Amino acid sequence: MDNGSLELFEKANTSLQIELQSCTTFRNQASRIFLYAFLSVGIVCTVVGNFLVVLSIAYFKQLQSPTNSFVMSLAVADCLVGLVVMPYSMIRTVEGCWYFGVLFCQLHSSLDVMLCTASIFHLSCIAYDRYYAVCNPLVYSLKMSHSRVALLIFVCWAVPMLISFCPIMLDLHVAGVDILIPEDLCVFLVNRIYAVMASLVAFYLPMAIMLIAYWKIYKAAKRQARQISAMESQMASGVGKDSSKKKRHRNTMKRERKAAKTLGIIMGVFLIFWMPFFTVNIVDPFIEYSTEVVVWDIFLWLGYINSSLNPFLYGFFNRSFRRAFLMFIGCRVCLPGSSPGMDLSQTRKDPNERADQQ
């Protein structure tokens, strides 16, 4: 490197250090109050919504399936994002300063990376589960046994922990980065190797797996839709001796297609909200960490918002989850006649709810 290039790099590095050292609150009182209120609503929705998912699956036997085991573990990860990550990120975003020390900054960053990575790992497992349920139903019970589900959930937590706590707490993620970060700031800078490897493991490779799985599910769903149409035509014309069996088969295929569609939408929303962050995460070390702080904050909070959306997607698309949520919100689980074994698809509904579902 010649002297001119070295001098230019030192100037750039010095200017960046000066920017990082200036820990000042640049927002006025009104904007800070608005941001605190807005982000607090998001945090509450994240915690309460995902806690309802956990309660519903834990209480109602009808919701206890291999797929919902992954959904429940995913909800635990999202709930922890709302409890232990988002509140401190909110203070950092609004105030522009970090008041909790260097060690807790490392711990916060580790939890942030681990929980977000765990979320997408769970979605990969959900795609794997739906692939066998829709495309290979005959081997589904073998592939998604209780021991296999438990092993996959363990992997969903163990691997994110390894790629977050180990490098971050040992400062391996900043090896070779010659930028000094003051104690009153918590900026998550990473070197090029960690940026590429962590992003590939945490996002891009699982994304590719999910896209392939859901593409195959989509093709299988189209094929099953044609079969359903043929069955309905056959039943309408009175052809076929065992119409009740065909009806049960048709309803089963419809449920599997609906579940695949719902989980596909959940996965798609996740990718849309996290794609900007992981793209910038890879690019930033190669452009000398010149990404503006406000851009980081926007992309990071887009990812956090995804943790708030999953419970609403479950409630909107899944009738059983919707009724389970309503029973907990209205404290109906405490009323006589309510039991963990009740059929959520056949519960009584008031006229307004019935009209809404029609």
Side-chain angles (χ1 to χ4, degrees):
M1 181 180 293
D2 56 25
N3 293 332
S5 300
L6 181 61
E7 182 179 357
L8 182 62
F9 177 78
E10 289 177 350
K11 287 182 179 180
N13 193 32
T14 302
S15 63
L16 181 58
Q17 289 185 32
I18 293 174
E19 179 183 352
L20 292 178
Q21 290 172 354
S22 58
C23 175
T24 57
T25 301
F26 57 89
R27 293 185 176 88
N28 58 43
Q29 187 71 12
S31 62
R32 290 166 64 194
I33 292 174
F34 171 78
L35 282 175
Y36 272 125
F38 178 75
L39 297 179
S40 295
V41 170
I43 293 172
V44 172
C45 290
T46 302
V47 175
V48 174
N50 285 287
F51 188 62
L52 279 176
V53 173
V54 175
L55 277 180
S56 299
I57 298 174
Y59 184 80
F60 292 107
K61 293 181 180 179
Q62 182 180 336
L63 296 178
Q64 295 170 6
S65 64
T67 302
N68 286 343
S69 296
F70 295 121
V71 172
M72 183 177 181
S73 189
L74 170 64
V76 171
D78 288 337
C79 190
L80 288 175
V81 170
L83 282 174
V84 302
V85 175
M86 292 173 67
Y88 300 100
S89 295
M90 175 180 65
I91 296 173
R92 180 183 60 190
T93 297
V94 176
E95 300 294 338
C97 297
W98 182 257
Y99 303 116
F100 310 105
V102 176
L103 180 60
F104 193 78
C105 174
Q106 290 180 311
L107 180 61
H108 177 268
S109 299
S110 300
L111 287 170
D112 196 345
V113 174
M114 185 193 78
L115 294 173
C116 294
T117 304
S119 292
I120 197 167
F121 271 44
H122 281 93
L123 288 171
S124 299
C125 290
I126 290 172
Y128 175 80
D129 173 88
R130 289 296 87 199
Y131 168 76
Y132 279 104
V134 176
C135 302
N136 295 286
L138 296 179
V139 299
Y140 176 76
S141 59
L142 177 64
K143 293 293 184 178
M144 301 308 298
S145 62
H146 291 295
S147 58
R148 178 70 64 87
V149 170
L151 176 61
L152 289 174
I153 290 177
F154 173 77
V155 171
C156 286
W157 288 97
V159 174
M161 187 176 294
L162 288 176
I163 68 172
S164 59
F165 276 87
C166 293
I168 293 175
M169 299 305 291
L170 296 176
D171 286 333
L172 299 179
H173 67 301
V174 291
V177 178
D178 298 325
I179 298 176
L180 298 178
I181 302 176
E183 294 185 3
D184 57 359
L185 288 178
C186 185
V187 181
F188 187 60
L189 297 179
V190 296
N191 57 39
R192 296 179 179 182
I193 295 177
Y194 183 83
V196 173
M197 298 302 296
S199 298
L200 285 175
V201 173
F203 184 76
Y204 288 101
L205 291 180
M207 178 189 69
I209 294 172
M210 287 187 286
L211 290 177
I212 293 171
Y214 277 106
W215 172 246
K216 292 184 177 181
I217 290 173
Y218 172 75
K219 292 194 296 183
K222 287 184 64 177
R223 183 171 60 253
Q224 290 179 359
R226 291 193 294 267
Q227 294 175 358
I228 291 172
S229 179
M231 282 185 182
E232 290 177 340
S233 300
Q234 195 176 45
M235 292 172 62
S237 61
V239 179
K241 297 180 179 180
D242 194 2
S243 60
S244 62
K245 183 177 179 180
K246 291 180 179 179
K247 186 176 181 179
R248 288 195 300 272
H249 183 55
R250 180 195 64 183
N251 291 336
T252 299
M253 287 194 296
K254 280 186 175 181
R255 286 195 300 270
E256 295 295 353
R257 287 176 60 240
K258 185 176 181 180
K261 179 181 177 181
T262 301
L263 295 171
I265 292 173
I266 293 171
M267 183 207 72
V269 169
F270 183 91
L271 295 178
I272 291 171
F273 277 82
W274 274 114
M275 178 73 77
F277 174 84
F278 280 100
T279 301
V280 173
N281 189 56
I282 286 183
V283 173
D284 191 54
F286 292 91
I287 58 174
E288 303 301 335
Y289 308 98
S290 58
T291 305
E292 296 291 337
V293 175
V294 65
V295 174
W296 276 112
D297 281 339
I298 292 173
F299 288 167
L300 182 62
W301 279 97
L302 278 177
Y304 289 159
I305 290 172
N306 175 256
S307 297
S308 309
L309 294 180
N310 284 342
F312 295 98
L313 293 174
Y314 301 142
F316 184 78
F317 289 106
N318 190 296
R319 178 180 299 177
S320 296
F321 269 112
R322 181 164 63 247
R323 292 178 181 170
F325 293 168
L326 291 175
M327 291 191 70
F328 277 108
I329 293 173
C331 295
R332 297 182 191 175
V333 293
C334 303
L335 298 177
S338 174
S339 67
M342 68 185 301
D343 189 352
L344 294 173
S345 60
Q346 299 295 331
T347 52
R348 290 184 179 180
K349 302 177 285 293
D350 56 53
N352 293 331
E353 186 180 349
R354 188 179 293 110
D356 178 67
Q357 291 180 355
Q358 292 175 351

